[in-house]
Short mmCIF file of all heavy atoms in Angstrom, two decimals:
data_model
loop_
_atom_site.label_atom_id
_atom_site.label_comp_id
_atom_site.label_asym_id
_atom_site.label_seq_id
_atom_site.Cartn_x
_atom_site.Cartn_y
_atom_site.Cartn_z
N PRO A 130 70.02 31.72 134.11
CA PRO A 130 70.22 31.95 135.55
C PRO A 130 71.08 33.16 135.86
O PRO A 130 70.89 33.81 136.88
CB PRO A 130 70.88 30.65 136.02
CG PRO A 130 71.49 30.05 134.80
CD PRO A 130 70.57 30.42 133.68
N TYR A 131 72.02 33.48 134.97
CA TYR A 131 72.93 34.59 135.25
C TYR A 131 72.20 35.93 135.31
O TYR A 131 72.61 36.84 136.04
CB TYR A 131 74.04 34.64 134.21
CG TYR A 131 74.99 33.47 134.31
CD1 TYR A 131 74.88 32.38 133.46
CD2 TYR A 131 75.98 33.42 135.29
CE1 TYR A 131 75.73 31.28 133.56
CE2 TYR A 131 76.84 32.34 135.41
CZ TYR A 131 76.72 31.28 134.54
OH TYR A 131 77.55 30.19 134.66
N ALA A 132 71.10 36.06 134.56
CA ALA A 132 70.33 37.30 134.61
C ALA A 132 69.77 37.52 136.01
O ALA A 132 69.66 38.67 136.48
CB ALA A 132 69.19 37.25 133.60
N TYR A 133 69.44 36.45 136.70
CA TYR A 133 68.87 36.55 138.04
C TYR A 133 69.95 36.88 139.08
O TYR A 133 69.69 37.62 140.03
CB TYR A 133 68.15 35.24 138.40
CG TYR A 133 66.89 35.08 137.58
CD1 TYR A 133 66.95 34.73 136.24
CD2 TYR A 133 65.64 35.31 138.14
CE1 TYR A 133 65.80 34.61 135.47
CE2 TYR A 133 64.48 35.20 137.39
CZ TYR A 133 64.58 34.85 136.05
OH TYR A 133 63.44 34.75 135.29
N VAL A 134 71.13 36.33 138.89
CA VAL A 134 72.24 36.67 139.79
C VAL A 134 72.59 38.15 139.64
O VAL A 134 72.74 38.87 140.64
CB VAL A 134 73.46 35.78 139.49
CG1 VAL A 134 74.67 36.26 140.28
CG2 VAL A 134 73.16 34.32 139.82
N GLU A 135 72.68 38.61 138.41
CA GLU A 135 73.07 40.01 138.17
C GLU A 135 72.02 40.99 138.69
O GLU A 135 72.35 41.98 139.35
CB GLU A 135 73.29 40.23 136.68
CG GLU A 135 73.81 41.60 136.31
CD GLU A 135 75.22 41.87 136.83
OE1 GLU A 135 75.98 40.89 137.01
OE2 GLU A 135 75.56 43.05 137.07
N SER A 136 70.76 40.72 138.42
CA SER A 136 69.70 41.66 138.80
C SER A 136 69.29 41.50 140.25
O SER A 136 69.26 42.47 141.02
CB SER A 136 68.49 41.47 137.89
OG SER A 136 67.44 42.34 138.26
N ASN A 137 68.98 40.27 140.65
CA ASN A 137 68.36 40.05 141.95
C ASN A 137 69.35 40.00 143.10
O ASN A 137 68.97 40.28 144.25
CB ASN A 137 67.52 38.77 141.93
CG ASN A 137 66.39 38.83 140.93
OD1 ASN A 137 66.21 39.82 140.24
ND2 ASN A 137 65.62 37.76 140.83
N LEU A 138 70.60 39.64 142.83
CA LEU A 138 71.60 39.61 143.89
C LEU A 138 72.50 40.85 143.85
O LEU A 138 72.57 41.61 144.81
CB LEU A 138 72.43 38.33 143.80
CG LEU A 138 71.64 37.03 143.94
CD1 LEU A 138 72.56 35.82 143.91
CD2 LEU A 138 70.81 37.01 145.22
N VAL A 139 73.16 41.05 142.72
CA VAL A 139 74.03 42.23 142.60
C VAL A 139 73.19 43.50 142.67
O VAL A 139 73.54 44.47 143.36
CB VAL A 139 74.85 42.19 141.29
CG1 VAL A 139 75.68 43.47 141.14
CG2 VAL A 139 75.75 40.96 141.26
N GLY A 140 72.07 43.51 141.97
CA GLY A 140 71.21 44.70 141.99
C GLY A 140 70.68 44.99 143.38
O GLY A 140 70.64 46.16 143.81
N PHE A 141 70.32 43.96 144.13
CA PHE A 141 69.73 44.18 145.46
C PHE A 141 70.79 44.65 146.46
O PHE A 141 70.48 45.47 147.34
CB PHE A 141 69.04 42.92 145.96
CG PHE A 141 68.17 43.16 147.16
CD1 PHE A 141 67.05 43.97 147.06
CD2 PHE A 141 68.45 42.59 148.38
CE1 PHE A 141 66.22 44.20 148.16
CE2 PHE A 141 67.64 42.81 149.49
CZ PHE A 141 66.53 43.63 149.38
N ILE A 142 72.02 44.17 146.34
CA ILE A 142 73.06 44.67 147.26
C ILE A 142 73.32 46.14 146.99
O ILE A 142 73.61 46.92 147.92
CB ILE A 142 74.36 43.84 147.16
CG1 ILE A 142 75.28 44.13 148.36
CG2 ILE A 142 75.10 44.11 145.87
CD1 ILE A 142 74.72 43.71 149.67
N ASN A 143 73.18 46.57 145.74
CA ASN A 143 73.31 48.00 145.44
C ASN A 143 72.21 48.81 146.11
O ASN A 143 72.46 49.92 146.61
CB ASN A 143 73.28 48.22 143.93
CG ASN A 143 74.52 47.69 143.23
OD1 ASN A 143 75.57 47.55 143.84
ND2 ASN A 143 74.40 47.40 141.94
N ILE A 144 70.99 48.26 146.12
CA ILE A 144 69.88 48.93 146.80
C ILE A 144 70.17 49.06 148.29
O ILE A 144 69.99 50.12 148.90
CB ILE A 144 68.56 48.15 146.58
CG1 ILE A 144 68.13 48.20 145.10
CG2 ILE A 144 67.45 48.68 147.49
CD1 ILE A 144 67.68 49.56 144.63
N LEU A 145 70.61 47.97 148.90
CA LEU A 145 70.89 47.99 150.33
C LEU A 145 72.01 48.97 150.68
O LEU A 145 71.92 49.71 151.67
CB LEU A 145 71.26 46.58 150.81
CG LEU A 145 70.12 45.56 150.81
CD1 LEU A 145 70.67 44.16 151.09
CD2 LEU A 145 69.05 45.93 151.84
N GLU A 146 73.05 49.00 149.87
CA GLU A 146 74.15 49.93 150.12
C GLU A 146 73.69 51.37 149.97
O GLU A 146 74.07 52.25 150.76
CB GLU A 146 75.30 49.63 149.17
CG GLU A 146 76.17 48.47 149.60
CD GLU A 146 77.01 48.84 150.83
OE1 GLU A 146 78.00 49.57 150.67
OE2 GLU A 146 76.66 48.41 151.95
N ALA A 147 72.84 51.62 148.97
CA ALA A 147 72.33 52.98 148.78
C ALA A 147 71.49 53.40 149.99
O ALA A 147 71.58 54.54 150.46
CB ALA A 147 71.49 53.06 147.50
N CYS A 148 70.67 52.47 150.50
CA CYS A 148 69.86 52.78 151.68
C CYS A 148 70.75 53.06 152.90
O CYS A 148 70.49 53.99 153.67
CB CYS A 148 68.92 51.62 151.99
SG CYS A 148 67.58 51.39 150.79
N ARG A 149 71.77 52.26 153.06
CA ARG A 149 72.66 52.44 154.22
C ARG A 149 73.37 53.77 154.19
O ARG A 149 73.45 54.48 155.20
CB ARG A 149 73.70 51.30 154.25
CG ARG A 149 74.77 51.49 155.33
CD ARG A 149 75.55 50.22 155.53
NE ARG A 149 76.56 49.98 154.54
CZ ARG A 149 77.85 50.29 154.70
NH1 ARG A 149 78.27 50.90 155.81
NH2 ARG A 149 78.73 49.99 153.77
N HIS A 150 73.87 54.16 153.04
CA HIS A 150 74.69 55.38 152.94
C HIS A 150 73.86 56.65 152.84
O HIS A 150 74.40 57.74 152.96
CB HIS A 150 75.64 55.27 151.76
CG HIS A 150 76.73 54.27 151.97
ND1 HIS A 150 77.72 54.42 152.93
CD2 HIS A 150 76.99 53.08 151.37
CE1 HIS A 150 78.54 53.39 152.91
NE2 HIS A 150 78.12 52.55 151.96
N HIS A 151 72.55 56.50 152.60
CA HIS A 151 71.70 57.69 152.49
C HIS A 151 70.61 57.72 153.56
O HIS A 151 69.63 58.44 153.43
CB HIS A 151 71.07 57.76 151.09
CG HIS A 151 72.07 58.04 150.01
ND1 HIS A 151 72.81 57.03 149.41
CD2 HIS A 151 72.49 59.20 149.45
CE1 HIS A 151 73.62 57.56 148.50
NE2 HIS A 151 73.45 58.87 148.51
N ALA A 152 70.82 56.97 154.62
CA ALA A 152 69.96 57.02 155.80
C ALA A 152 68.48 56.88 155.46
O ALA A 152 67.63 57.64 155.94
CB ALA A 152 70.20 58.32 156.58
N VAL A 153 68.16 55.90 154.61
CA VAL A 153 66.76 55.64 154.26
C VAL A 153 66.02 55.16 155.51
O VAL A 153 66.51 54.32 156.27
CB VAL A 153 66.69 54.58 153.14
CG1 VAL A 153 65.27 54.06 152.96
CG2 VAL A 153 67.19 55.19 151.83
N GLU A 154 64.84 55.70 155.73
CA GLU A 154 64.09 55.40 156.95
C GLU A 154 63.46 54.01 156.95
O GLU A 154 63.29 53.41 158.01
CB GLU A 154 63.01 56.46 157.17
CG GLU A 154 63.55 57.86 157.42
CD GLU A 154 62.45 58.87 157.63
OE1 GLU A 154 61.26 58.46 157.67
OE2 GLU A 154 62.76 60.07 157.76
N HIS A 155 63.09 53.52 155.77
CA HIS A 155 62.42 52.23 155.70
C HIS A 155 62.48 51.71 154.27
O HIS A 155 62.05 52.40 153.35
CB HIS A 155 60.95 52.37 156.15
CG HIS A 155 60.21 51.07 156.23
ND1 HIS A 155 58.82 51.01 156.17
CD2 HIS A 155 60.62 49.79 156.39
CE1 HIS A 155 58.43 49.75 156.29
NE2 HIS A 155 59.51 48.99 156.42
#
């Protein structure tokens, strides 16, 4: 289960933060 927390939760928040700070359109 920890692999899913690390990739799917921690990894996805990194994606969202990158989108927010780099003005991703969609």
Side-chain angles (χ1 to χ4, degrees):
Y131 291 100
Y133 290 74
V134 172
E135 185 66 27
S136 179
N137 298 0
L138 299 183
V139 177
F141 193 64
I142 195 65
N143 290 337
I144 293 291
L145 291 171
E146 279 289 284
C148 290
R149 173 167 79 97
H150 290 294
H151 291 85
V153 168
E154 295 180 5
H155 185 202

